[in-house]
Amino acid sequence: MVRQKQKLASNLSDTLTPLTKFYNTEMGNRVCYQAMQVHGGVGFMREFNIERHYRDVRVTNIYEGTSQLQW
């Protein structure tokens, strides 16, 4: 009984972990892109944190496998 529950939990986490990673990285990219659009050309300047966030969030798609491989 316990082993069966552990296997079910393992299968569930194996399925949901890549989906969670995909959703969060895609949403982070979308939010940073929209913030960059709101700030316009000034958003690319280093005085604003959006420049750093935009640069950092672009790399999250690659960590632990690209988002396309997660599906």
Side-chain angles (χ1 to χ4, degrees):
M1 182 82 161
V2 173
R3 187 175 282 292
Q4 188 178 18
K5 285 185 179 182
Q6 287 175 336
K7 186 173 182 174
L8 178 63
S10 177
N11 287 340
L12 187 62
S13 70
D14 288 347
T15 301
L16 293 180
T17 300
L19 292 174
T20 303
K21 187 254 185 206
F22 175 77
Y23 178 79
N24 288 327
T25 57
E26 292 298 318
M27 189 56 66
N29 276 306
R30 184 179 298 175
V31 167
C32 281
Y33 177 76
Q34 289 175 350
M36 186 69 75
Q37 294 300 313
V38 168
H39 284 83
V42 180
F44 282 105
M45 302 188 114
R46 291 201 178 245
E47 290 86 24
F48 295 95
N49 286 334
I50 188 62
E51 179 268 336
R52 181 176 49 86
H53 292 305
Y54 186 72
R55 185 172 19 100
D56 291 346
V57 80
R58 300 290 294 167
V59 142
T60 60
N61 285 8
I62 300 169
Y63 290 153
E64 299 294 327
T66 63
S67 294
Q68 288 79 18
L69 293 177
Q70 297 295 325
W71 282 100

